[in-house]
Amino acid sequence: MSKLADLAAAGQAVWLDNVDRNFLKAGGLRKLIAEDGLTGVTSNPAIFEKAIGSGDAYDAGLGEFLTKADASVADTFESLAIADIRAACDDLRPVYDRLEGKDGYVSLEVSPYLALETEASLFEAKKLWAAVDRPNLMIKIPGTAPGTPAIRDAIAAGINVNVTLLFSLHAYKAVAHAYLEGLEARAARGEAVTGIASVASFFVSRIDSVIDKKIDERIAAGDKDASDLKALRGQVAIANAKLAYAWYQDLIASDRWQNLAAKGVMPQRLLWASTGVKDKAYPDTLYADALIGPDTVDTIPPATMDAFRDHGTVGQTLTAEVDAARQVIADAERLGLDLAGVTAQLVVDGVKSFADAADTLYGAVAAKRAAFLGNKLATLEAHLPADLQTAVDARLKQSTADAWSRRLWAGDATLWTGKDEGKWLGWLAAARGEQVDLAALETLADEARKYPDVVLLGMGGSSLGPEVIGLILGSGRGAPRLHVLDTTDPGQIATVEGEIDAKNTLFIVSSKSGSTLEPELLRAYWFDKAGQDGTHFVAVTDPGSNLEKTAKSDSYAHIFHGDPSIGGRYSVMSVFGMVPAAASGVDVAALIANARTMATSCGPDAPPAANPGIQLGAILGEAHNAGRNKLTIVTSDALKPFGSWLEQLTAESTGKLGKGIVPIDLEPLGDPADYSADRIFVQFGVAGDADHAKLAALQAAGHPVIRVTLTDLPQIAQEFVRWEVAIAIAGAVIGIDPFDQPDVEAAKIETRELVDAYEKSGQLDLPAVGGEQGDLVVYDGDAAALGKLFDGAEYAGVLAYIERDAAHEAAIEKMRVAVRNRTKRATVAGFGPRFLHSTGQAYKGGPKGAAFLVITREPSHDLTIPDRRASFGTVERAQALGDAKVLTDRGQRVLIVHLKREDALSQLVDLVTAA
Ligand SMILES: O=P(O)(O)OC[C@H]1O[C@](O)(CO)[C@@H](O)[C@@H]1O
Ligand SMILES: O=C[C@H](O)[C@H](O)COP(=O)(O)O
């Protein structure tokens, strides 16, 4: 018989305070049962962290689990833990049977993140109880104030409970009563009360660790009570435990208990936890030796077991010298060691340290999952200058401690400004494919096949996502071509008109609000062109909008409802992105599968440092705070369209209150000498693409460089999700609400006033002409002002209210490169009115000191709008003027240049590049 087995004879059950797959597989537990009379096992998050977090013992099991289907980090961990716990339960089953349920238990703890949540703890206890499905399982629930009612209800539900994290007599009494109440509730309902087991895990060594430290500090400081204090070293934890046991004996003798005992219930045994000696100055069996007594359990870590087997001492120590124990506690009180304060703090620290262990464990599982997924997950590599890397590391540490992953998914508005941010997180569910009805999309895709073309009418979030998907993935075989019209430019509209037969085209009118000016005008225009036949019109809009009403009265073929808790720029994985994708034959299910993979990677259980979205958000936010607020987008040709979607997400979400990340899209890369230290570069490519030729030099020159690599094009959906999370998190780092767009409305009001005035007078109110040169009219300035416009600007913008085509893009690019190389400032460009619903927010509300060249032109062919005096060309011009006024009002530098002829842009390019 081993000394450990002798403990059983002394009335104490010996449990193993450890779980480890290799040990279980090698029959280690069965050996302890056979040789040491072991009758139970405990685990906790720190134990699993040690077992699973390092090494490869669990890799095969993890692979086996994830091969069946991708799963969250928490579910993956649980599958591994449950397998171990079941194996341990099965090893102990003969003991459980032999002792008729009095012992033979294995404990599994509820998530430490729930230690302060009653309902969630109870829910999880029930879930784990069902998942492990073994009668000799005990669910560990912390004996915190919120945990105590969960303990009572779990017992009442017939679940065996190991109450953990007990440090004080006070807390122990509360959970002992909770146990009785749970049993009494069952008895009152006429349910069986036999066969339900519980232990109360009273922690020992951690108390000495804190009290001894206090004692040492006071002695070192020359405390007058030094010798009395010294006498208490290593005494308080054991004394505290002895008093708990004395109270247990009183409880067992009480009438209340005896009433229950008469019904055959088992006592809730005290279990000594935290029995590994932490101070090497003490004998290594100190706690195991000192707390031996009947009807108790000692859960012992492996090293302490070895020590006890070798030189432990078995005796009835628990009931010995109880008065001396009372004296120790009284002395501790007299000497101001504040045991009550210490034990209260230990609960807080205990919850935190188990949560920290879970963070590390979940981080490790997340990394293993990512490794398992391999190229099914798009990769991101970041090369940051040392100071930025330090700030990012600190942010990831802080955000882990502050539970940002969980708070994001829980919709905790205090992550941002504490306003209504929590109401704008519907995109997280959409990222998991939960917003769309795939069957309805398939029906639409089938119907759409009879049309050669599908035209999407919408702005901003209602057009950019669909356009990115359409341009990057193309139409499916036999499916219609997708045209996106997000403009009032008559030339652009005419171009689409030349490409389609309006009477044989599917039109998708897309607007969340259902009241945005451009889609409303376009809808009216095309409805006429289509012979007022609503059967080839589809609406995508939030419930109850004006668009929905029109769609109903005009008998549209379908109305797809958006989710009002998703803002436009976050709507791509909802119907706003998926309806046009389905109509043009894109494999929507593949997009959703990709989005879900990334959403899982960015889940509430993936701690910040292992969470791709939060990691990126920390980089973007810290780069912004360090003055690197120009996110410069570099793409391979195939991924070029992605930039315009990312522009809206970034600019509209972060550009406000004078702060913000300014996205720089389609600005050709230059040499290090062409830039200031305000940049962060991100390159998007597909596996096999070469690095952009100039990127390495920029990285070497100390600029932060991020490289995103997709395995295939449908993985673009992963980037939607990664960047949505990242920008939300960057908002938290910057300290703004990423879900509002406070400065967009002002330009809309100005435009509306100009258009309304035009409807009455037939005249557009133009600013004063400053000068003319060739075919250019310069308003509120002259050609000389144009030469100086961008000097010293925070960044330079070219905002062109002209047709968006390759020639115009090339001309604008020429101006940008010239300005960038001359001024070293970042340059942005936008086609109006498209950019108004995208980057426009940041240009007005974001960083100040920017300079904008606003370009308007006389259209060669204007288009009339049904029931309006104003033509598309007039509305477009009014939009330019309205926005320019608001930009000026906000303190940005603005010069408007009007092209008297459609083809006069080259004259302006010459002026700007010559400056
Ligand atoms: O889908 P809606 O309501 O027409 O809005 C279009 C776009 O306009 C904006 O509200 C900006 O004006 C964007 O946020 C939005 O994506
Ligand atoms: O149930 C067991 C406890 O979780 C364990 O004994 C805690 O021990 P520690 O204080 O060494 O972490």
Side-chain angles (χ1 to χ4, degrees):
M1 284 281 273
S2 84
K3 282 201 173 128
L4 285 165
D6 291 344
L7 286 174
Q12 184 164 61
V14 177
W15 289 10
L16 173 67
D17 199 9
N18 201 34
V19 167
D20 178 275
R21 182 157 294 187
N22 283 343
F23 167 81
L24 288 169
K25 273 195 177 156
L29 181 58
R30 289 192 293 277
K31 187 164 181 272
L32 291 181
I33 294 167
E35 294 177 6
D36 293 315
L38 187 108
T39 55
V41 168
T42 50
S43 66
N44 65 35
I47 285 171
F48 273 118
E49 192 272 309
K50 215 168 113 229
I52 301 177
S54 50
D56 54 10
Y58 289 78
D59 290 3
L62 179 133
E64 205 180 300
F65 179 69
L66 290 176
T67 301
K68 287 182 223 142
D70 187 23
S72 71
V73 170
D75 287 349
T76 306
F77 158 67
E78 256 173 49
S79 78
L80 300 175
I82 285 170
D84 280 6
I85 294 294
R86 279 186 166 170
C89 282
D90 294 347
D91 280 353
L92 277 159
R93 185 60 190 262
V95 176
Y96 173 82
D97 289 340
R98 174 170 50 80
L99 298 177
E100 295 174 337
K102 292 195 178 56
D103 212 338
Y105 291 93
V106 181
S107 301
L108 174 63
E109 192 155 338
V110 297
S111 165
Y113 302 138
L114 309 176
L116 302 175
E117 292 177 38
T118 307
E119 285 309 315
S121 288
L122 181 62
F123 181 82
E124 170 123 326
K126 289 180 177 170
K127 188 186 84 179
L128 293 176
W129 177 253
V132 175
D133 192 23
R134 295 291 186 274
N136 56 333
L137 171 72
M138 272 191 180
I139 301 292
K140 269 177 127 176
I141 304 176
T144 57
T148 304
I151 291 160
R152 178 198 60 212
D153 293 348
I155 292 291
I159 295 172
N160 302 322
V161 177
N162 174 342
V163 183
T164 186
L165 285 179
L166 292 172
F167 296 91
S168 73
L169 192 50
H170 174 75
Y172 165 50
K173 287 179 185 174
V175 302
H177 283 128
Y179 176 59
L180 300 186
E181 282 165 21
L183 291 173
E184 286 161 353
R186 285 184 73 80
R189 294 198 300 257
E191 291 167 357
V193 286
T194 53
I196 299 167
S198 182
V199 292
S201 291
F202 207 86
F203 279 50
V204 187
S205 72
R206 293 190 195 187
I207 294 181
D208 275 349
S209 297
V210 179
I211 293 278
D212 288 357
K213 188 161 171 265
K214 277 185 148 198
I215 291 173
D216 291 348
E217 282 166 3
R218 282 180 51 184
I219 293 173
D223 197 286
K224 65 176 175 37
D225 296 316
S227 65
D228 286 2
L229 283 165
K230 199 167 177 198
L232 291 183
R233 258 189 131 271
Q235 301 289 323
V236 176
I238 292 170
N240 191 42
K242 283 187 174 182
L243 297 194
Y245 186 72
W247 187 84
Y248 164 81
Q249 288 177 310
D250 290 347
L251 177 73
I252 292 296
S254 71
D255 289 347
R256 186 177 177 192
W257 170 255
Q258 290 301 330
N259 276 340
L260 281 166
K263 295 186 170 71
V265 307
M266 292 188 274
Q268 181 190 53
R269 287 177 292 172
L270 265 163
L271 174 148
W272 310 127
S274 188
T275 58
V277 172
K278 303 209 163 74
D279 184 339
K280 298 275 175 277
Y282 296 145
D284 52 7
T285 57
L286 175 70
Y287 302 112
D289 287 345
L291 297 171
I292 303 167
D295 285 333
T296 56
V297 182
D298 194 356
T299 192
I300 311 178
T304 311
M305 263 193 185
D306 292 342
F308 195 89
R309 214 182 277 110
D310 182 61
H311 50 263
T313 312
V314 180
Q316 288 297 332
T317 46
L318 190 55
T319 42
E321 299 176 24
V322 175
D323 285 344
R326 282 189 215 288
Q327 191 56 51
V328 166
I329 300 299
D331 287 348
E333 197 56 37
R334 174 178 60 80
L335 293 166
L337 288 171
D338 185 23
L339 184 57
V342 166
T343 53
Q345 187 58 39
L346 277 166
V347 177
V348 176
D349 295 349
V351 167
K352 168 131 180 40
S353 83
F354 280 159
D356 289 350
D359 284 341
T360 311
L361 169 64
Y362 282 17
V365 174
K368 284 176 192 270
R369 172 180 166 272
F372 174 82
L373 287 175
N375 68 5
K376 288 196 190 117
L377 202 58
T379 60
L380 182 148
E381 242 182 86
H383 296 269
L384 309 179
D387 48 353
L388 180 56
Q389 186 66 60
T390 306
V392 169
D393 291 344
R395 177 65 66 180
L396 290 173
K397 208 165 160 212
Q398 165 266 319
S399 57
T400 303
D402 292 346
W404 280 22
S405 309
R406 296 193 295 287
R407 285 168 62 201
L408 167 70
W409 286 83
D412 178 354
T414 64
L415 192 50
W416 298 282
T417 68
K419 289 193 316 202
D420 69 344
E421 289 93 337
K423 294 193 182 139
W424 290 102
L425 294 165
W427 51 275
L428 288 165
R432 289 172 157 166
E434 290 163 15
Q435 202 276 323
V436 294
D437 173 355
L438 272 179
L441 293 181
E442 269 168 34
T443 306
L444 176 71
D446 284 345
E447 289 172 16
R449 262 187 221 111
K450 66 177 186 247
Y451 300 100
D453 296 280
V454 52
V455 177
L456 175 90
L457 314 173
M459 299 304 290
S462 300
S463 69
L464 296 169
E467 186 183 78
V468 170
I469 295 172
L471 290 177
I472 292 182
L473 298 176
S475 293
R477 193 135 46 101
R481 279 185 303 174
L482 176 69
H483 309 257
V484 173
L485 261 184
D486 50 355
T487 187
T488 47
D489 185 79
Q492 193 104 45
I493 298 168
T495 298
V496 170
E497 201 162 345
E499 291 169 352
I500 63 164
D501 167 8
K503 294 208 164 63
N504 189 26
T505 292
L506 179 69
F507 290 95
I508 302 176
V509 192
S510 190
S511 170
K512 280 191 87 55
S513 61
S515 56
T516 299
L517 178 69
E518 296 88 340
E520 173 50 23
L521 300 182
L522 291 166
R523 179 203 62 74
Y525 180 81
W526 290 107
F527 193 61
D528 262 14
K529 295 278 169 197
Q532 306 224 333
D533 175 6
T535 59
H536 53 117
F537 277 71
V538 166
V540 185
T541 189
D542 283 359
S545 75
N546 282 340
L547 173 57
E548 178 176 9
K549 289 184 194 102
T550 307
K552 280 184 177 153
S553 65
D554 287 346
S555 306
Y556 279 20
H558 298 284
I559 299 173
F560 290 92
H561 279 144
D563 172 353
S565 72
I566 303 176
R569 57 188 173 273
Y570 274 87
S571 66
V572 63
M573 291 311 302
S574 76
V575 283
F576 287 92
M578 297 301 107
V579 165
S584 54
V586 170
D587 183 350
V588 169
L591 285 178
I592 289 177
N594 269 297
R596 194 181 291 129
T597 300
M598 184 55 82
T600 304
S601 296
C602 298
D605 45 10
N611 185 313
I614 299 189
Q615 246 176 353
L616 176 60
I619 295 172
L620 298 174
E622 290 300 335
H624 168 278
N625 291 353
R628 290 192 178 271
N629 63 345
K630 312 296 182 322
L631 177 67
T632 307
I633 302 163
V634 186
T635 64
S636 63
D637 284 349
L639 297 178
K640 193 170 158 191
F642 185 67
S644 59
W645 175 85
L646 187 53
E647 271 191 317
Q648 185 197 13
L649 180 76
T650 307
E652 212 173 56
S653 303
T654 68
K656 51 201 70 162
L657 303 174
K659 305 178 188 181
I661 302 169
V662 181
I664 312 292
D665 188 29
L666 303 178
E667 184 194 62
L669 274 193
D671 298 316
D674 298 326
Y675 297 96
S676 306
D678 60 349
R679 300 274 187 151
I680 172 165
F681 295 90
V682 57
Q683 173 180 267
F684 295 91
V686 180
D689 287 348
D691 222 16
H692 190 288
K694 304 215 174 210
L695 206 60
L698 292 166
Q699 185 180 317
H703 290 287
V705 172
I706 295 169
R707 290 177 179 81
V708 174
T709 309
L710 315 184
T711 304
D712 54 26
L713 294 174
Q715 281 193 355
I716 198 66
Q718 296 191 16
E719 294 312 310
F720 288 141
V721 178
R722 186 206 303 272
W723 287 84
E724 283 173 349
V725 172
I727 291 296
I729 291 299
V733 175
I734 296 169
I736 46 91
D737 173 357
F739 307 117
D740 67 0
Q741 49 282 333
D743 302 288
V744 169
E745 197 51 30
K748 290 186 184 169
I749 293 170
E750 287 295 334
T751 300
R752 207 174 306 132
E753 280 173 10
L754 284 166
V755 174
D756 287 351
Y758 182 92
E759 291 288 330
K760 285 192 198 110
S761 67
Q763 294 293 321
L764 205 53
D765 192 8
L766 297 173
V769 174
E772 294 202 22
Q773 180 151 346
D775 292 312
L776 311 179
V777 182
V778 185
Y779 287 102
D780 279 340
D782 53 19
L786 184 58
K788 293 196 291 271
L789 175 65
F790 299 120
D791 290 351
E794 164 66 20
Y795 62 96
V798 179
L799 309 176
Y801 292 77
I802 56 179
E803 183 168 358
R804 185 163 62 96
D805 59 23
H808 289 160
E809 278 172 354
I812 290 171
E813 182 182 301
K814 226 170 164 183
M815 291 191 269
R816 292 176 74 179
V817 171
V819 170
R820 196 264 323 273
N821 291 356
R822 184 168 57 79
T823 62
K824 318 294 172 213
R825 308 315 300 167
T827 70
V828 299
F831 284 92
R834 172 179 154 107
F835 82 87
L836 293 177
H837 298 275
S838 160
T839 46
Q841 164 60 38
Y843 300 163
K844 291 182 275 288
K848 300 287 173 222
F852 295 99
L853 170 60
V854 175
I855 305 169
T856 59
R857 64 95 168 72
E858 216 53 54
S860 45
H861 300 290
D862 207 345
L863 295 173
T864 54
I865 305 168
D867 303 326
R868 291 213 184 222
R869 194 170 182 183
S871 62
F872 274 111
T874 306
V875 171
E876 184 181 27
R877 188 113 184 246
Q879 290 180 300
L881 298 174
D883 191 51
K885 179 169 182 312
V886 178
L887 283 169
T888 311
D889 290 350
R890 299 294 160 91
Q892 307 289 47
R893 215 180 305 157
V894 178
L895 203 64
I896 305 174
V897 173
H898 184 67
L899 315 179
K900 287 200 259 179
R901 288 189 301 111
E902 189 96 44
D903 58 1
L905 185 62
S906 59
Q907 297 173 30
L908 180 60
V909 174
D910 289 345
L911 273 182
V912 171
T913 52

